[in-house]
Amino acid sequence: MNEKIPYKTYLEESELPKQWYNVRADMKNKPAPLLNPATLKPMTAEELSAVFCDELVKQELDDTTPYFDIPDEIREFYKMYRPSPLVRAYCLEKALDTPAHIYYKFEGNNTSGSHKLNSAIAQAYYAKKQGLKGVTTETGAGQWGTALSMACAYLGLDCRVYMVKCSYEQKPFRREVMRTYGASVTPSPSDTTNVGRKILAEHPGTTGSLGCAISEAVEAAVSTEGYRYVLGSVLSQVLLHQTVIGLESKTAFDKIGVKPDVIIGCAGGGSNLGGLVSPFVGEMLRGENNYRIIAVEPASCPSLTRGKYAYDFCDTGMVCPLAKMYTLGSGFIPSPNHAGGLRYHGMSSILSQLYDDKLIEAVSVEQTAVFAAAEKFARVEGILPAPESSHAIKVAIDEALKCKETGEAKNIFFGLTGTGYFDMYAYQAFNDGKMSDYIPTDEDLAVGFAGLPKVDL
Amino acid sequence: MNEKIPYKTYLEESELPKQWYNVRADMKNKPAPLLNPATLKPMTAEELSAVFCDELVKQELDDTTPYFDIPDEIREFYKMYRPSPLVRAYCLEKALDTPAHIYYKFEGNNTSGSHKLNSAIAQAYYAKKQGLKGVTTETGAGQWGTALSMACAYLGLDCRVYMVKCSYEQKPFRREVMRTYGASVTPSPSDTTNVGRKILAEHPGTTGSLGCAISEAVEAAVSTEGYRYVLGSVLSQVLLHQTVIGLESKTAFDKIGVKPDVIIGCAGGGSNLGGLVSPFVGEMLRGENNYRIIAVEPASCPSLTRGKYAYDFCDTGMVCPLAKMYTLGSGFIPSPNHAGGLRYHGMSSILSQLYDDKLIEAVSVEQTAVFAAAEKFARVEGILPAPESSHAIKVAIDEALKCKETGEAKNIFFGLTGTGYFDMYAYQAFNDGKMSDYIPTDEDLAVGFAGLPKVDL
């Protein structure tokens, strides 16, 4: 414990990034464009503007501008909870007895409990600037909905959240956080939209899905004057905003004179991983540096490791544009015993392309091993991690133990995206020995793949 | 927003206090000693050693040594979550349109969610150093139990928590956090102790109380080889450890060149308030400086504003020493509609004496006003506060609004002790308009006062 590197490296507020980094500008193979599901032609700005704010449409479509200024108002909001600390995990290193040096960027020190707030405030800001009355969105367990409700409360913007019904009923606490921030929360599927009514008619007992909630939120936005839809992951604009994580990390590493060798992040829709690794990938793309980058996904929802790289629907109701991505098919639903988040059927187009170009690796892990890693981490590092984040912890520990075998003092860096305070049902299942693993069979996956749209470009 | 003072002032790790401050050393009127309930003589170190660790007994009894070194091991643990930020509440100031400058010390950025961890690690450390196997304690809603389980997990010490039964059953999430950190959690009253069995026999349907859980935890400690009892508030040793809050605050204020005019803290047993204000009170006692200090308590449990300054039992089972304090009587139980913490019948002896000497003021506030203040704060400052902390927020806002009337640019400083993530039932009641206030009548209070012991010194 006598090293010079502190436990926590905080940047000064003046060192907060002034621009987001658009990794697409440095990619030779650009992510494939979003397609209009009716015409199979690339979505135009005008078409997208019916769903998204104008400024966000620009960000979504721009794959050549390397940096976007972060508006002052967003930077002021960031200052309430950023810069987030880069933590040296001395206690975890000691517990593992590894020569590796372990670092993590901790994004959980805000009430939303995760990195999601970084994009929520950006999207809410552009909606407000455009003079809109409000925004709609979907949320599963509620991380994204909480983040958006916080951002909207701050800006005085109406916030309508469609929350997957089973979460709405079984996990009332995030719902109450959203209500405390003034958001209206509707269990999905609901009778407030056409797509919701259709799904309810076809599947009366359904407890909902993320894809269905997306469809409802989009419909609510496009059919309500002065509203637009916002999304917490997958989209390129979201990854852009989340690069504040990676940019701060780079600055902090430079400050302490350390270069990470391995960079690890959990991957659901890709917002955290993309934001964390983009600046590092940028250096690789420009030939300036080299890193080993690992995306970690649940074995029960393995879009990168077992999915197909194809155009697919982003939502169940098929009202959204088609995206080319590693996907399990929009009809894929993780088995009911899957406890954490990271349950989206697809993956960010940017990350899909980087993975296809072999700039990043991917591994899948099973959830009991993930919770065991989470518990070990919590007991020595203090922080109770979100199940999502714990996927990265699991692989960081594995890498550190490999270093123990080889004697290498590698710098292992992972993204700790959030805290698990609202995931105690899952921890309880683990504590009670009632958590199980499930790896989908090839037959299970075939069902999702069968629903992939036929797109021949 | 163009001021030079940052949103968050973080000290360097090297600026973390190296000593705790013992305010009793500077008090002319010392707090009255703990009494043996059998002999009514002051408790000796030997008598206390049956219950508490030796080093903590020394700290408890020492009212002359002004500073105690913080052991390196505890400082290392502190570095995982400290120094905590001193925050300038720019957004709250703007929302209130007040000329006042509002600051808060935020203690919620750790998994226990509150300042309790500051003393938990100290008490667990001394237990470990003494070669003990484990510690016992009680917890109400679970803040203190969570903090202690984290500290014990870190040190490899067994942790047995008696949790008030109604909380154990109705609020399972904190229980699961404790279990994740390896603690055993027993609903109180239980059949594992004599006092628990006695209470169960007399009141079969009881859902427990904090005073009863204390009795059980003390009995479990003294009757188990290698165990001692630890307590999260009230005791002078706890206030000593918590001075890390006030000492860091002083250093941070000096750094930004600000002197607080008004210092506000919520008061239950007094651990947060005492730790926050001790260094400032010390300056007052030494005639170096002057501050206005306000203790805020719930109108439903008004020990300072409506209690008696008398010797009283610390627990229901009357197994603990007697303490002289402002008290409502150990038989006082807040009305069932009381939502937050701050429900202990008495108040720290140190704070009681300071209050009696008019060095600190006290006010009581009603809970619907507290939650309204909490919601306002959350929406503009981002952080969802604990109900306990929100008592201080309520009075800080009141003081800031007074400044608006008078045009004074006072520096208002309050302690934000923790986050409300595990208090969403209370927020739900508030969101649903189902929260009510209750101020005990003089007749209600008479019941508690009737149970005060007759101590004639």
Side-chain angles (χ1 to χ4, degrees), chain B residues 73-93:
Chain B
E73 293 85 346
I74 296 176
R75 290 186 82 239
E76 290 301 313
F77 186 88
Y78 278 168
K79 286 178 188 172
M80 289 205 299
Y81 70 100
R82 308 200 67 83
S84 70
L86 176 69
V87 186
R88 173 77 184 269
Y90 283 117
C91 299
L92 180 60
E93 291 170 17

Side-chain angles (χ1 to χ4, degrees), chain A residues 268-284:
Chain A
S271 72
N272 151 68
L273 182 71
L276 180 74
V277 307
S278 277
F280 299 95
V281 169
E283 293 185 356
M284 294 167 74

Side-chain angles (χ1 to χ4, degrees), chain B residues 105-108 113-115 143 266 272 386 388-389 415-419:
Chain B
K105 179 76 167 167
F106 181 42
E107 292 288 319
S114 82
H115 67 293
Q143 270 189 354
C266 62
N272 150 67
E388 293 85 347
S389 325
L416 187 65
T417 57
T419 50

Side-chain angles (χ1 to χ4, degrees), chain B residues 371-388:
Chain B
F371 275 81
E375 184 189 273
K376 179 185 278 279
F377 180 83
R379 291 187 182 186
V380 295
E381 286 286 320
I383 297 165
L384 186 79
E388 293 85 347

